[in-house]
Amino acid sequence: MISIEKVSSKQDLKAFINFPSTLFAGDENWIDPLYVEREEHLSKKNPASDHVVWQAWLAKRGSEVVGRITAQVDSLHRELYGPNTGHFGMIDAIDDEEVFAALFKAAEEWLVSQGAHQITGPFSLNINQESGLLVEGFDTPPSALMTHGKPWYAKHIEKLGYSKAIDLIAYWMKRTDLHFEPSLTKLMDNVRKRVTIRPLNRKIFDQEMQILRNLFNLGWQDNWGFVPFTEHEFATMGQQLKYLVPDDMIYIAEIDGEPAAFIVGLPNINEAISGLKGKLLPFGWAKVLWRLKVSGVRTARVPLMGVKKEYQFSRIGPIIALLLIEALREPFRRRNIDALEMSWILETNTGMRTILERIGAEPYKNYRLFEKKITPES
């Protein structure tokens, strides 16, 4: 007998956060998230709470937690896509059809009560945070701010009437495999005459964050499911980047003195927290800082990259992206960063995918977003 309980107390929230660690016990590719970070993510401290309303549930068999899920409504998403949209997220459960059915029933009933009939997900809690369900690439650990999963998730979700909306692709590239064909090198050399690639200027950090936010929002506004970053969200992200990312791993491309594109290379903090089992005390913070600042990590991820809309479909746009990727090569070498994940890339973004594959990157993980139309009677 499966029971579904709303997450409504600190004890419930603790069980919700801790459940995946139990589910993935024994999975060598699982990395426990920091409990304090997940607790903050599911609190008013998360700047997305300015526009996202959510509810979470636990599935139990007796007293044992066997699954979890969230449902959420994003007012910014509704402004762009209509007042009947809603989302699910943070789905984790044992391999049991009954558990998935009970969890989604609770989530869908709540979403209908919020006026939502067009459901997409998973997001935790919106598209600018962790997105997608892992459907390929279970044999390697997730990079920073990416999700892990079990192979049975997709089949149970599809049985409940959800179908593929779009896939998000993660690319992997070893630093030593990065290469530029002579034809690309020639194009890059020609574009260098007009484009300046510069590192972030920490002295005007807040202004630089505004540049990055504007470039991202304008560059991504026509992409599937786009929701703009608010000033609050990007300011919060900026504070995290300030401590986690060296100045020479954030670059801005300027054309005729005007910002045109940017890239962020994030040291893979999942490497740094691996083995901590989600705990920072008594020595967790010291270990994380040692691994990030002293011993370093050996992999990184590009979580943010944007090219100004007016250049995206011009001949210069893809070359700017190449110049930004090239700019990361030397700081990666200095820090002994051996490999890079580029994620995520919409499967429909054939231009960027072609560029990445031409310079040595390979698709290695696939994250799927699902959709379903629901009615009060469904």
Side-chain angles (χ1 to χ4, degrees):
M1 179 69 177
I2 303 300
S3 63
I4 299 295
E5 299 179 9
K6 279 187 177 182
V7 171
S8 57
S9 68
K10 287 185 177 180
Q11 185 176 358
D12 295 337
L13 183 62
K14 183 177 181 179
F16 183 91
I17 293 172
N18 287 335
F19 171 67
S21 297
T22 301
L23 181 67
F24 289 96
D27 183 341
E28 63 182 11
N29 294 307
W30 169 251
I31 297 175
D32 289 288
L34 294 177
Y35 182 88
V36 66
E37 186 278 328
R38 290 290 83 184
E39 186 178 40
E40 186 169 300
H41 182 78
L42 295 168
S43 75
K44 292 295 183 182
K45 292 181 180 180
N46 185 338
S49 63
D50 294 344
H51 54 93
V52 175
V53 178
W54 61 274
Q55 178 61 55
W57 294 266
L58 292 168
K60 291 185 177 181
R61 179 177 285 134
S63 61
E64 179 188 6
V65 177
V66 292
R68 70 173 194 172
I69 197 171
T70 66
Q72 57 268 3
V73 169
D74 186 335
S75 61
L76 290 183
H77 188 276
R78 286 186 161 187
E79 288 176 12
L80 292 171
Y81 303 102
N84 66 341
T85 64
H87 315 285
F88 72 91
M90 303 187 80
I91 176 68
D92 290 289
I94 63 172
D95 189 4
D96 188 307
E97 185 175 335
E98 183 183 3
V99 173
F100 276 83
L103 285 167
F104 274 87
K105 182 176 185 293
E108 290 177 5
E109 287 177 351
W110 184 87
L111 287 166
V112 168
S113 76
Q114 301 295 311
H117 304 297
Q118 182 66 45
I119 312 305
T120 53
F123 304 112
S124 59
L125 292 166
N126 80 343
I127 196 169
N128 293 328
Q129 298 174 332
E130 295 98 331
S131 298
L133 184 87
L134 185 66
V135 294
E136 295 177 23
F138 298 95
D139 56 344
T140 52
S143 289
L145 308 179
M146 298 295 282
T147 65
H148 197 45
K150 291 288 190 181
W152 59 76
Y153 287 7
K155 71 176 183 180
H156 289 305
I157 292 173
E158 289 167 353
K159 283 182 181 179
L160 296 170
Y162 288 83
S163 58
K164 171 185 168 180
I166 198 166
D167 283 352
L168 314 175
I169 311 300
Y171 277 83
W172 189 255
M173 178 165 53
K174 293 182 180 179
R175 176 169 52 84
T176 53
D177 288 343
L178 175 61
H179 65 273
F180 301 99
E181 301 166 3
S183 58
L184 289 179
T185 301
K186 183 177 180 180
L187 290 171
M188 291 164 69
D189 288 341
N190 289 335
V191 169
R192 287 183 216 277
K193 301 170 186 176
R194 187 180 171 195
V195 177
T196 300
I197 306 293
R198 65 170 180 84
L200 179 86
N201 184 349
R202 193 172 287 264
K203 293 180 180 178
I204 52 171
F205 188 85
D206 291 343
Q207 292 172 242
E208 298 282 66
M209 286 299 104
Q210 282 298 321
I211 290 173
L212 267 59
R213 174 176 173 261
N214 289 335
L215 285 172
F216 181 90
N217 284 346
L218 292 174
W220 282 62
Q221 63 183 338
D222 293 330
N223 283 354
W224 186 97
F226 166 79
V227 173
F229 273 107
T230 66
E231 288 192 23
H232 186 192
E233 286 171 316
F234 224 84
T236 301
M237 181 188 298
Q239 291 304 308
Q240 296 168 346
L241 295 178
K242 182 182 290 187
Y243 293 108
L244 293 175
V245 182
D247 296 351
D248 61 356
M249 287 174 63
I250 302 178
Y251 284 92
I252 296 173
E254 296 178 339
I255 297 180
D256 302 328
E258 292 294 322
F262 77 98
I263 194 169
V264 175
L266 173 68
N268 186 6
I269 55 177
N270 275 7
E271 260 190 78
I273 67 174
S274 178
L276 296 180
K277 296 188 181 300
K279 299 176 182 178
L280 286 173
L281 299 175
F283 305 112
W285 272 119
K287 290 180 180 178
V288 171
L289 289 174
W290 173 265
R291 293 175 188 178
L292 281 175
K293 300 296 185 181
V294 182
S295 69
V297 297
R298 295 294 174 259
T299 60
R301 177 184 170 223
V302 171
L304 290 171
M305 185 176 183
V307 178
K308 208 171 183 179
K309 186 178 179 181
E310 64 188 88
Y311 298 114
Q312 287 179 4
F313 300 103
S314 69
R315 294 186 64 183
I316 199 173
I319 307 306
I320 297 173
L322 289 175
L323 292 174
L324 287 168
I325 294 170
E326 180 192 47
L328 288 175
R329 180 159 55 179
E330 180 56 25
F332 281 8
R333 185 196 65 78
R334 288 197 299 268
R335 292 177 174 81
N336 294 317
I337 292 176
D338 299 323
L340 168 71
E341 177 177 300
M342 301 280 292
S343 62
W344 41 260
I345 314 293
L346 287 168
E347 65 172 332
T348 53
N349 190 349
T350 54
M352 179 55 70
R353 294 184 64 188
T354 299
I355 286 174
L356 291 177
E357 290 168 19
R358 285 184 67 180
I359 64 174
E362 296 182 353
Y364 86 119
K365 287 183 183 287
N366 189 353
Y367 297 86
R368 182 156 297 163
L369 290 168
F370 293 87
E371 62 185 359
K372 179 182 178 182
K373 289 184 179 180
I374 61 176
T375 64
E377 295 76 31
S378 66

